[in-house]
């Protein structure tokens, strides 16, 4: 071969080799693709498609088209939505340190920036320990009789009125139980003031955050300031009185790391906020599902009447509430079907490689609890209300009514307890029927039967 041909062959071989190496290196460093999906219009994205219809239609049509991980843009935020149990677990549990909780700034201003849900890391872990200490079974077993007294007086106040709005009444019940678990049973003098201010704060919660006189937001911010003052007074009284009760305020005040009064107030308001509408919505759905399913109502009533007979005029005990498997399954199935929190929010704190896709820093990530609870892959005949399905434990990560991982609900035992106590007295003493249209669902933001479920209630003969 001519030297020139040898030179040319070597040159071509070197070029081919370099090009292939270059391709290999660049493919190793090629960024992963974004998840499939559409981002809609600039800024408004697909907000209208999401909110102009039942949100489930939006989510399920996306899942059908793009699979269980898809991107979209709503309310000015670029989002990745996750509809598979594994993906939800990866964000909430396994890689929780890469995804921080995220809320609009106006919500942080209203509740208080020191509240548990806004944090990660050491401050969050310490608060969580204090909250769990006050709401674990050993702490709340001592307040069963006080919860029972609140349940009985609520039911007695409904009955003479005949027609009530279930959600409204359940909110009052859940508020009173929340105050009991936070402050204990004794201090009552400031409760009315707390209630007035909290209700004003709540009215502003979903309003436009415009802080000028005359707006709901402005009234809410004033009420928030007053709440802080009332709570500072309660804390200072409590310091003088010294108590060894096991309620939440005591747990916060005895923290070795020393929370400031402001941080305590932020967390007291945060817990009322987390405890109230959630528990009241679940209770409202329970009354609806029981009224629509007479066989289930009959089974619950039989279980509760047996407990009533066995307790021979004594009040309910913690042990009684552990012997309610049928009612417990009704609560589980209600939380699955109603999925009152359709999803939660996190934000990627850096670019994250996630199950073959890239989630850019700052994007919101939403595990879709409702889709997971309503997927036929996780629950057979998912639209059917069938508490007996919980006779067998659900597959891992498919049942997340209280979330999962570092931010999962620390109040779940208290929520279940107060629901069991109310259902015990309701089903053993009262009957009720639903009034008005019964198929609609409102999202505000929790899923709720239309108009808060108006019912007629009367004492059993
Ligand atoms: C049936 C009623 C309830 C439901 C369905 C519920 C649901 C949830 C869910 C899904 C989360 C996690 C949210 C997330 O990961 O972003 C959560 C967090 C939380 N819940 Fe509940 N909850 C209920 C009742 C309560 C009660 C009664 C309390 C307190 C007495 C409470 C206190 C909290 C707190 C403080 C957090 C934040 C925890 C953290 O960030 O570490 N919840 N709840």
């Amino acid at each position: 071969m001519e030297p020139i041909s040898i030179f040319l062959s070597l040159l071509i071989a070197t070029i081919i080799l370099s090009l292939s190496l270059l391709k290999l290196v660049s493919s190793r460093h090629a960024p992963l693709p974004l998840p499939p999906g559409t981002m809609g219009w600039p800024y408004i994205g697909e907000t209208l498609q999401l909110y102009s219809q039942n949100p489930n239609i939006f989510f399920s049509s996306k899942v059908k088209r793009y699979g269980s991980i898809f991107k979209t843009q709503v309310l000015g935020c670029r989002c990745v939505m996750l509809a598979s149990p594994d993906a939800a677990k990866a964000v909430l549990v396994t890689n929780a340190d890469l995804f921080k909780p995220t809320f609009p700034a106006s919500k942080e201003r209203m509740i208080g920036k020191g509240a548990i849900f806004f944090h990660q890391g050491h401050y969050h872990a310490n608060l969580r320990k204090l909250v769990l200490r006050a709401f674990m079974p050993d702490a709340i077993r001592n307040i069963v009789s006080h919860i029972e007294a609140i349940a009985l007086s609520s039911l007695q106040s409904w009955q003479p009125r005949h027609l009530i709005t279930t959600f409204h009444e359940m909110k009052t019940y859940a508020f009173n139980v929340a105050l009991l678990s936070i402050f204990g049973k004794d201090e009552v003098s400031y409760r009315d003031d707390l209630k007035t201010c909290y209700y004003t704060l709540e009215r502003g919660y979903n309003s436009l955050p415009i802080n000028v006189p005359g707006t709901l937001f402005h009234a809410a911010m004033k009420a928030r300031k007053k709440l802080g003052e009332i709570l500072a007074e309660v804390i200072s009284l409590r310091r003088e009185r010294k108590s060894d009760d096991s309620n939440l305020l005591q747990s916060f005040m005895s923290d070795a790391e020393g929370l400031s009064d402001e941080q305590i107030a932020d967390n007291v308001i945060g817990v009322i906020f987390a405890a109230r509408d959630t528990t009241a919505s679940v209770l409202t759905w329970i009354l609806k599902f029981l009224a629509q399913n007479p066989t289930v109502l009959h089974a619950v009533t039989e279980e509760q009447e047996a407990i009533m007979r066995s307790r021979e005029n004594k009040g309910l005990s913690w042990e009684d509430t552990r012997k309610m498997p049928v009612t417990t399954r009704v609560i589980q199935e209600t939380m699955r079907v109603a999925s009152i929190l359709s999803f939660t929010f996190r934000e990627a704190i850096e670019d994250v490689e996630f199950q073959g896709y890239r989630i850019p820093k700052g994007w919101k990530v939403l595990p879709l609890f409702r889709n997971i609870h309503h997927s036929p892959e996780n629950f057979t005949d998912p639209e059917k209300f069938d508490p007996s399905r919980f006779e067998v434990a659900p597959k891992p990560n498919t049942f997340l009514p209280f979330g999962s991982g570092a931010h999962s609900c620390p109040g779940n035992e208290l929520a279940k307890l107060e629901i069991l106590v109310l259902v015990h007295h309701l089903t053993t003493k009262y009957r009720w029927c639903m009034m008005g249209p019964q198929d609609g669902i409102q999202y505000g933001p929790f899923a709720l039967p239309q108009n808060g479920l108006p019912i007629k209630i009367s004492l059993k003969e």
Side-chain angles (χ1 to χ4, degrees), residues 155 209 289 428:
L155 287 164
F289 290 138
T428 50

Side-chain angles (χ1 to χ4, degrees), residues 92 116-117 124 128 131 135 181 271 274-275 278-279 282 335 340-341 344-346 369 400-404 406-412 414-415 418-419:
L92 298 174
I116 183 166
F117 355 84
H124 173 260
R128 209 171 152 81
V131 174
F135 294 146
S181 67
V271 165
T278 46
T279 315
V282 172
M335 292 196 291
I340 58 151
L341 263 96
T344 189
F345 287 94
R346 296 289 187 272
F369 297 139
L400 307 163
F402 293 111
S404 190
H407 287 272
S408 67
C409 181
N412 75 86
L414 177 66
E418 63 184 285
I419 294 172

Side-chain angles (χ1 to χ4, degrees), residues 174-448:
F175 183 78
N176 288 333
V177 174
L179 289 200
L180 168 76
S181 67
I182 294 168
F183 300 107
K185 63 179 173 35
D186 295 332
E187 289 155 301
V188 283
S189 50
Y190 49 82
R191 280 198 187 169
D192 286 343
D193 288 347
L194 267 182
K195 198 177 208 164
T196 314
C197 292
Y198 185 80
Y199 285 15
T200 311
L201 177 69
E202 200 188 55
R203 274 196 293 280
Y205 193 76
N206 286 327
S207 64
L208 280 178
I210 302 169
N211 199 0
V212 292
T215 61
L216 283 176
F217 188 79
H218 183 74
M221 293 309 291
K222 267 175 74 181
R224 175 63 185 81
K225 187 162 175 268
K226 183 90 205 309
L227 273 173
E229 288 161 12
I230 300 171
L231 290 168
E233 224 170 279
V234 175
I235 294 166
S236 113
L237 280 176
R238 189 62 80 88
R239 281 207 178 98
E240 283 166 22
R241 189 169 65 79
K242 296 253 186 311
S243 138
D244 52 5
D245 290 352
S246 58
N247 52 57
L248 183 67
L249 183 60
Q250 211 51 42
S251 181
F252 285 150
M253 290 180 61
S254 58
D255 174 33
E257 297 189 16
L259 291 176
S260 69
D261 287 7
E262 222 174 45
Q263 287 168 329
I264 295 178
D266 293 355
N267 279 288
V268 164
I269 294 166
V271 165
I272 301 176
F273 171 75
R276 188 172 180 227
D277 282 22
T278 46
T279 315
S281 309
V282 172
L283 272 163
T284 305
W285 282 106
I286 289 179
L287 263 68
K288 179 176 159 76
F289 290 138
L290 287 180
Q292 284 176 331
N293 295 274
T295 324
V296 179
L297 174 60
H298 182 72
V300 169
T301 310
E302 276 199 334
E303 176 173 86
Q304 296 301 339
E305 282 175 347
I307 287 173
M308 189 173 68
R309 283 192 297 276
S310 74
R311 65 185 174 87
E312 295 168 345
N313 294 330
K314 290 199 295 280
L316 267 181
S317 66
W318 171 259
E319 285 69 29
D320 291 331
T321 65
R322 303 302 96 183
K323 292 180 207 143
M324 301 179 175
V326 176
T327 317
T328 299
R329 288 197 288 271
V330 167
I331 299 174
Q332 290 172 308
E333 179 66 341
T334 300
M335 292 196 291
R336 185 192 70 80
V337 177
S339 291
I340 58 151
L341 263 96
S342 302
F343 48 80
T344 189
F345 287 94
R346 296 289 187 272
E347 185 182 308
I349 60 167
E350 57 187 61
D351 281 3
V352 181
E353 287 187 7
F354 189 83
Q355 306 197 345
Y357 298 113
R358 179 171 57 97
I359 303 183
K361 180 180 174 185
W363 281 39
K364 309 287 179 204
V365 180
L366 284 71
L368 301 178
F369 297 139
R370 174 177 286 273
N371 287 66
I372 295 172
H373 293 163
H374 283 250
S375 160
E377 282 172 29
N378 306 328
F379 295 95
T380 28
D381 204 355
E383 300 312 316
K384 186 172 172 205
F385 179 80
D386 176 12
S388 73
R389 71 171 83 240
F390 280 96
E391 283 165 14
V392 179
K395 291 184 224 159
N397 310 309
T398 58
F399 184 53
L400 307 163
F402 293 111
S404 190
H407 287 272
S408 67
C409 181
N412 75 86
E413 290 293 343
L414 177 66
K416 287 183 277 186
L417 177 65
E418 63 184 285
I419 294 172
L420 288 171
V421 171
L422 192 117
V423 171
H424 173 78
H425 288 288
L426 177 73
T427 55
T428 50
K429 301 189 181 63
Y430 296 88
R431 63 180 85 245
W432 69 98
C433 61
M434 297 182 288
M435 308 298 290
Q438 285 150 27
D439 289 333
I441 302 182
Q442 287 166 213
Y443 296 88
F446 302 118
L448 194 68

